[in-house]
Amino acid sequence: MNGASDESALRLTRVAALLSGDVDILTDIPTQDVARLRSETKLKVMEGPEVRTIFLVMDLGSPELKYSSVKGKNPFADKRVRQAMSMTIDREAIRRNIMRGLSVSAGLLVAPGVNGHTPELDQPVKVDIEGAKKLLADAGYPSGFEVRFSCPNNRYVNDEEICIALAAMWSQLKVKLKVNAMPRVTWFPKMEKLDTSLYLLGWGGSVTDAETTLTPVMRFPAEGGIGLYNWGRVRNEKFEQAAVAQSQEPDPKKREELIKVALREYKSQVHLIPLHRQVIPWAARSNVDAVHRADNWLEWAWVKIGPAK
């Protein structure tokens, strides 16, 4: 076994251990097991949204996409194409059908709880299939195009299933996705080589400030780790100016305004497409108390185990 099959076998083993009483607490419970674990009277489920945002990025740095039916130009270089693709995504359907309710739709890469988060910007675009078709036609692609979609299959919650669902949604625009799903051990090196035209990524974890998203993920690649994870080679000078300025601004209020300028500019150009934030369930014996953190970190010093019930 490898990749997704290994993950599935491990999932079954971990859940079985909790149900049998061999372990007291599990983190990262798969969404498909949550309903069953909730029904167990001797167990309890703890959950909350991560600060990690799952999002999509297109190759904007190549004059011609490496994996596309379009030759001689890059369809993603046209903002209208990016807008159309975002407008076709039914995030609520993904939340309901694939994530089993365990996600929060996102309109911004910086999550709530992270310094610099802006609620008014964190609103997903509304689904508008007809509007998206018109944008794509205006951009010169009334019959759509084909493109390969790089997707991990064991890194994020239901990642491959999400990519397959996106392919179905974008087929409404006649944009045909060839989903190229692979284990993260293969996927990450491929992305680091920029060997992609469209990819799914997640960012968050222990992030507590917008700086640790703006600089490594959104800025154009440069020395010192700047843009290290900007594999789509997205470049926007107005954004860059604000992002650099906020890194150097000592006044908190002025810095907050600069962060808003940077995020607003990036969003207005649809340089990436936010999908959602994962809700990560943990499960424990009913006599176990733990603090569920937004960075999905289990702090053992905060775990208390009472008398068996």
Side-chain angles (χ1 to χ4, degrees):
M1 294 188 296
N2 58 70
S5 57
D6 283 343
E7 294 286 333
S8 179
L10 178 60
R11 172 181 70 82
L12 293 173
T13 301
R14 294 172 72 241
V15 171
L18 179 66
L19 290 169
S20 67
D22 290 339
V23 300
D24 291 310
I25 186 170
L26 288 181
T27 60
D28 303 310
I29 302 298
T31 54
Q32 59 265 43
D33 294 321
V34 173
R36 178 189 179 190
L37 294 177
R38 286 192 198 282
S39 69
E40 295 287 336
T41 57
K42 293 185 178 181
L43 300 178
K44 60 183 176 183
V45 175
M46 299 165 277
E47 65 183 48
E50 272 194 309
V51 293
R52 186 187 315 278
T53 303
I54 306 301
F55 59 101
L56 308 169
V57 186
M58 294 144 280
D59 173 10
L60 300 186
S62 300
E64 177 182 302
L65 292 179
K66 186 174 183 179
Y67 300 109
S68 169
S69 61
V70 179
K71 303 305 176 184
K73 58 181 177 178
N74 182 345
F76 294 145
D78 193 314
K79 175 183 171 181
R80 293 169 295 184
V81 173
R82 305 194 297 272
Q83 285 178 305
M85 294 181 73
S86 183
M87 290 163 58
T88 310
I89 298 173
D90 190 339
R91 293 166 178 79
E92 174 57 25
I94 292 175
R95 186 195 71 81
R96 182 180 63 250
N97 300 327
I98 297 176
M99 299 301 289
R100 295 173 172 84
L102 296 173
S103 66
V104 178
S105 297
L108 199 64
L109 193 53
V110 177
V114 175
N115 183 47
H117 174 259
T118 308
E120 61 266 28
L121 292 178
D122 194 15
Q123 302 300 319
V125 64
K126 294 181 180 179
V127 178
D128 182 357
I129 305 301
E130 294 307 312
K133 288 179 179 178
K134 184 179 185 306
L135 281 170
L136 206 63
D138 291 346
Y141 304 97
S143 300
F145 53 89
E146 292 186 5
V147 65
R148 187 183 296 179
F149 186 14
S150 301
C151 184
N153 62 14
N154 62 355
R155 175 62 184 96
Y156 308 110
V157 179
N158 300 331
D159 40 17
E160 184 174 6
E161 291 89 340
I162 291 170
C163 293
I164 292 171
L166 289 170
M169 292 175 186
W170 282 330
S171 69
Q172 298 174 89
L173 301 179
K174 299 181 182 178
V175 173
K176 301 175 183 177
L177 290 193
K178 295 182 177 180
V179 178
N180 186 23
M182 64 194 78
R184 56 190 170 189
V185 67
T186 305
W187 184 81
F188 274 105
K190 180 178 174 65
M191 296 302 99
E192 289 166 357
K193 294 175 184 175
L194 309 181
D195 187 17
T196 181
S197 293
L198 171 68
Y199 62 93
L200 178 143
L201 184 63
W203 191 262
S206 58
V207 166
T208 57
D209 188 274
E211 163 64 22
T212 49
T213 299
L214 296 176
T215 295
V217 180
M218 301 168 74
R219 287 187 58 189
F220 191 72
E223 294 182 359
I226 295 172
L228 184 62
Y229 295 95
N230 181 358
W231 299 326
R233 289 167 290 175
V234 178
R235 185 168 198 159
N236 180 311
E237 291 304 328
K238 183 177 179 180
F239 162 80
E240 289 285 332
Q241 292 174 8
V244 171
Q246 67 81 28
S247 294
Q248 303 169 351
E249 177 55 59
D251 184 277
K253 290 185 177 180
K254 291 180 179 179
R255 180 169 179 262
E256 184 178 347
E257 288 304 312
L258 288 167
I259 292 173
K260 287 182 179 180
V261 169
L263 293 176
R264 187 177 293 111
E265 173 62 17
Y266 220 80
K267 179 170 182 173
S268 71
Q269 298 303 314
V270 200
H271 283 321
L272 54 78
I273 301 177
L275 291 180
H276 61 238
R277 291 170 192 117
Q278 303 174 146
V279 172
I280 304 296
W282 297 354
R285 313 297 297 172
S286 58
N287 62 321
V288 176
D289 290 321
V291 177
H292 187 286
R293 293 173 33 149
D295 61 358
N296 197 27
W297 176 263
L298 178 61
E299 185 62 60
W300 287 107
W302 297 348
V303 176
K304 295 181 181 179
I305 301 179
K309 297 180 182 180

